[in-house]
Amino acid sequence: MENKIINLGIFGFGVVGQGLYEVLNRTKGINARIKKICIKDPNKSRPIDSSYFTTDKNEILEDPAIDVVVELINDTEAAFDIVSTALRNGKAVVSASKRMIAENLPALYELQSANKVPFLYEASSCASIPIIRNLEEYYDNDLLNAVEGICNGSTNYILTKIFEENLSFETALQQAQELGFAETDPTLDIEGYDPKFKLVILLLHAFGTFVKPEEVYNFGIHHLNDFDIQFAKQRNCTVKLIAQCRRQNGSVFAYVLPHLVKEHNLLYDVYNEYNGILLESAFTDKQFFVGKGAGGTATGSAVLSDISALLYNYRYEYKKIKQNNQPNFTNDVKLKVYLRYKTPDQVDLAEFFNISEKYESPEWRYVVGTINLQKLKDAGWLKKKDVNLLVLE
Ligand SMILES: NC(=O)c1ccc[n+]([C@@H]2O[C@H](COP(=O)([O-])OP(=O)(O)OC[C@H]3O[C@@H](n4cnc5c(N)ncnc54)[C@H](OP(=O)(O)O)[C@@H]3O)[C@@H](O)[C@H]2O)c1
């Protein structure tokens, strides 16, 4: 595609679609122009000329003049249909839809290989942080040990407001939604599904291992209460929702769980809608990436970077898959946790290997102890509103 102007067909003109429009207009020297934008609701008022818009997906998917399909919609099924049709029609595709990508990674990998077209999705994982291309190009060997970080701008915004400004959970969530950081369905953010989708994508690019989202345990910040906040503050800690995948004994484990984070930890100072990713490798120890993890122009700039990369024929090579020594996925790992509950019948302490601390009061009880990740994943008791969990460092 070098030296030519590429025609874009965009799906979606919400937070990210409009962010891309703004970024594209303000970026000089990018050889790309918008030919058509497909949206869902023809009656919504739009901030730009109506001639751009259509509700007919085929005006983009079947237009031979459109080189690149940019998929930025909030409907997982429709997004997969659009992306797979575009790839089959030989069009390069850029997408930000982490859930759609995480749930369909093997099929999307096959589709781009079979049709020999690039499919880029940097904005899907940690929005503005260029992490996928780094994992692909810089960490293209097997010396990477772990990818760990804050991958959800909305929950990090909420936790920042709770810990730094003493705001209530509800007020902080409302602010995150008003600022466009929260997903359309906020449970995806606060229960840790959104960072899990990103983690599944990062895990593939870090280690070459395909994992289904349902294999990875996620527990969010939806049960966090004042007692937990005091517990963290008394230990000079904050709480961060951490997504991590890590090699261990030839396998790789992964989870999204709220962690107690101490001041010396680089992730402690990642505030508001910012995301932070710590990479650990055999010889370089830790490397740290930080950047905005949500918002229109921050995400739009990552989408634009993918469009720009297509101009020099960039595509993911999935080198770790081709190296053919991927670690197996496991949930067999011990974690030290704080478990808070109201009455003893709400939890099963027999699942713990050991308990090092126990607290009881008329209002709340907690234990600190070690438990297997698979046990946590299987434990029905963590679904109870009175029960909360924090991983200790
Ligand atoms: N917001 C962020 O900060 C962020 C960051 C990274 C990734 N993402 C991902 O980017 C994607 C878009 O997010 P968003 O926040 O921009 O969503 P959004 O503000 O809710 O906008 C969604 C857009 O998709 C359009 N749409 C829905 N179904 C469609 C269909 N079947 N065909 C055509 N258009 C359709 C909607 O059309 P109408 O305008 O007609 O309703 C709307 O313009 C999501 O997958 C999200 O997970 C978002």
Side-chain angles (χ1 to χ4, degrees), residues 11-17 38-41 44 46 72-75 78 82 96-98 123 127 180 183-184 293-295 299:
F11 284 86
F13 203 63
V15 174
V16 184
C38 180
I39 39 73
K40 194 173 179 181
D41 181 354
K44 235 186 221 179
R46 309 283 172 185
L72 307 170
I73 74 171
N74 57 352
D75 175 331
I82 288 161
S97 297
K98 71 254 353 196
E183 282 296 308
T184 315
T299 312

